[in-house]
Amino acid sequence: MTIIRSTPPGGGAMPDSSAITTLRDISLASAAPAALRAAIQVGLPEHVGDVPVTIDDLAKSLDVDGAILERLLRALRSYGVFHEDAGGIVHTAMSRLLREDDPQRLKYWVLWVTEPWVWELWPDLEDAVRTGRGDFEGKYGDRFFSHLHAQWPDSTEIFNRSQTELSRLTSAAIAETFDLSGVRTFVDVGGGRGYTLSTILEANPHLHGTLVDLPAAVAEPDLRLRPGGALAERSQVLAGDCLVDIPVKGADIYQFKSILEWDDEWTVTALRNAAQAARPGSRVLMITNLVDDSPEIRYATGIDLLFLLNTNGRRHTRKGVTALVERAGLRLESVTPVPPLLHVVEASVPSA
Ligand SMILES: C[S@@+](CC[C@H](N)C(=O)[O-])C[C@H]1O[C@@H](n2cnc3c(N)ncnc32)[C@H](O)[C@@H]1O
């Protein structure tokens, strides 16, 4: 005797299964970054090499529980991170990006956006929607970057490495977009460890560059910018807070890449400080991932919401960013795409 009906209850009217499937997947999507993070932390990407390896052997070499490792890998494989063939586990294009030695590495980026404090911030999204602002300061008693540098040194290191990883993916395209033949002095404000500045200096042998960032970021700059480094004679590295003052006066270009995505008031202050440090005719460049013109809309909107919660910031729209440039008293010159993801907003400093 069969007890299973051949038609569904209700006479066959089934809800749209793709909507159900997709919404269920989205509601559990946090399992994916959690699995990525666990894989990195136990050293999985480093222990999968060029030949397939069994889960038992992996578990032994990693000194982890084999049954749970199998479950972790099953979850990751469902996203195309690692693959299992007849011989065992092998890398995929995505899992290889988690390795320390991969030239397009995104290991520290994954760790950065899955740090424990990030998981603590997400529930605050509801309050932000109600109140109209993120309140990191209310929760932790300090501004995001001050708190990060003072209280979370390991996270600061992960952050700085993650920014270098992202810069490795974009710096060549940025250097190609700029025609700096008539420019002598270039300042990268909030330039992290200076990977992008180094790439721009290498592409422009006539150029002198200055890296300005908070002390924790410039403590260990790119090797090329350090004393004895290949670019040392054409560069300087300065600690500075662009919300207070930009310590290089009269330069031809002041660049802000992926920094002015915090509180709008801070953005206007930083741009005004650049205008004050500059001379009439100097250029101010904002390099950013516009949220209304992004081919990777989930990446752009995800970061937009995270910025809301950590710096009360945002990914800008084209209209929003140009309004801030004008509020700061700069003259908008152009907005130019830098494939695949970024835009350069170019402004000039008007005569007083
Ligand atoms: C998202 S990262 C971007 C780093 C770099 N421009 C890049 O694209 O790789 C933002 C940078 O702004 C720096 N920063 C934050 N607050 C700052 C301030 N008040 N003055 C100068 N730099 C600051 C951070 O230390 C960090 O290096």
Side-chain angles (χ1 to χ4, degrees):
M1 179 187 75
T2 175
I3 59 165
I4 308 296
R5 279 197 278 253
S6 58
T7 53
M14 292 287 279
D16 177 352
S17 65
S18 70
I20 291 172
T21 305
T22 306
L23 190 61
R24 275 200 308 231
D25 282 357
I26 295 171
S27 62
L28 271 172
S30 53
L36 285 175
R37 184 178 180 88
I40 293 172
Q41 297 286 55
V42 300
L44 185 55
E46 313 301 333
H47 279 73
V48 176
D50 293 331
V51 289
V53 52
T54 66
I55 293 176
D56 278 352
D57 284 349
L58 270 175
K60 274 188 208 113
S61 62
L62 293 168
D63 192 22
V64 298
D65 186 279
I68 304 293
L69 182 63
E70 185 174 11
R71 289 164 64 181
L72 181 75
L73 276 161
R74 191 178 291 124
L76 289 167
R77 286 192 287 110
S78 76
Y79 286 95
V81 180
F82 298 103
H83 174 72
E84 185 167 26
D85 69 14
I89 300 297
V90 290
H91 269 301
T92 58
M94 266 194 285
S95 63
R96 223 171 259 120
L97 298 176
L98 304 175
R99 283 183 64 94
E100 188 74 34
D101 60 0
D102 192 89
Q104 294 187 302
R105 189 186 72 196
L106 283 173
K107 170 181 172 179
Y108 293 97
W109 161 256
V110 171
L111 290 175
W112 170 241
V113 290
T114 59
E115 283 285 85
W117 58 264
V118 175
W119 296 103
E120 280 174 19
L121 278 182
W122 283 125
D124 298 349
L125 192 52
E126 179 185 338
D127 275 350
V129 173
R130 293 187 191 284
T131 63
R133 55 179 294 115
D135 190 19
F136 186 94
E137 217 169 320
K139 186 177 183 115
Y140 291 105
D142 200 355
R143 284 181 176 181
F144 173 68
F145 279 108
S146 322
H147 189 80
L148 174 69
H149 293 164
Q151 303 298 330
W152 298 331
D154 294 348
S155 210
T156 299
E157 178 62 22
I158 287 171
F159 174 61
N160 288 329
R161 290 185 190 203
S162 75
Q163 297 311 299
T164 301
E165 287 178 347
L166 295 184
S167 287
R168 276 200 215 168
L169 300 176
T170 55
S171 292
I174 289 170
E176 269 173 39
T177 301
F178 293 164
D179 174 6
L180 300 177
S181 47
V183 173
R184 286 180 310 108
T185 49
F186 189 103
V187 183
D188 194 359
V189 186
R193 289 184 163 165
Y195 188 91
T196 302
L197 179 65
S198 299
T199 308
I200 289 170
L201 289 176
E202 278 177 343
N204 295 277
H206 64 283
L207 197 64
H208 184 279
T210 305
L211 175 69
V212 178
D213 204 304
L214 296 172
V218 295
E220 290 181 37
D222 191 288
L223 289 176
R224 291 166 289 182
L225 302 175
R226 295 189 195 182
L231 299 167
E233 299 204 337
R234 291 196 285 126
S235 63
Q236 60 177 337
V237 177
L238 298 178
D241 181 343
C242 68
L243 294 176
V244 177
D245 177 50
I246 295 177
V248 194
K249 310 300 173 190
D252 295 329
I253 294 190
Y254 293 82
Q255 169 179 278
F256 294 86
K257 174 174 169 278
S258 309
I259 159 169
L260 302 182
E261 294 165 333
W262 49 16
D263 192 294
D264 282 353
E265 296 311 310
W266 304 358
T267 294
V268 172
T269 301
L271 290 173
R272 282 191 182 136
N273 286 343
Q276 275 202 337
R279 51 173 176 69
S282 296
R283 301 285 152 147
V284 177
L285 308 177
M286 268 179 77
I287 303 185
T288 189
N289 175 210
L290 294 179
V291 74
D292 58 348
D293 194 7
S294 178
E296 295 184 20
I297 194 62
R298 289 187 187 149
Y299 171 59
T301 55
I303 287 292
D304 182 49
L305 294 180
L306 184 54
F307 284 173
L308 167 68
L309 300 180
N310 64 12
T311 57
N312 189 37
R314 63 174 73 242
R315 281 286 202 226
H316 296 288
T317 60
R318 182 181 288 249
K319 204 168 145 197
V321 79
T322 53
L324 292 175
V325 164
E326 281 160 4
R327 245 183 81 194
L330 297 167
R331 186 187 304 126
L332 181 69
E333 299 287 342
S334 61
V335 181
T336 310
V338 183
L341 282 182
L342 298 173
H343 282 78
V344 186
V345 180
E346 178 176 353
S348 59
V349 179
S351 313

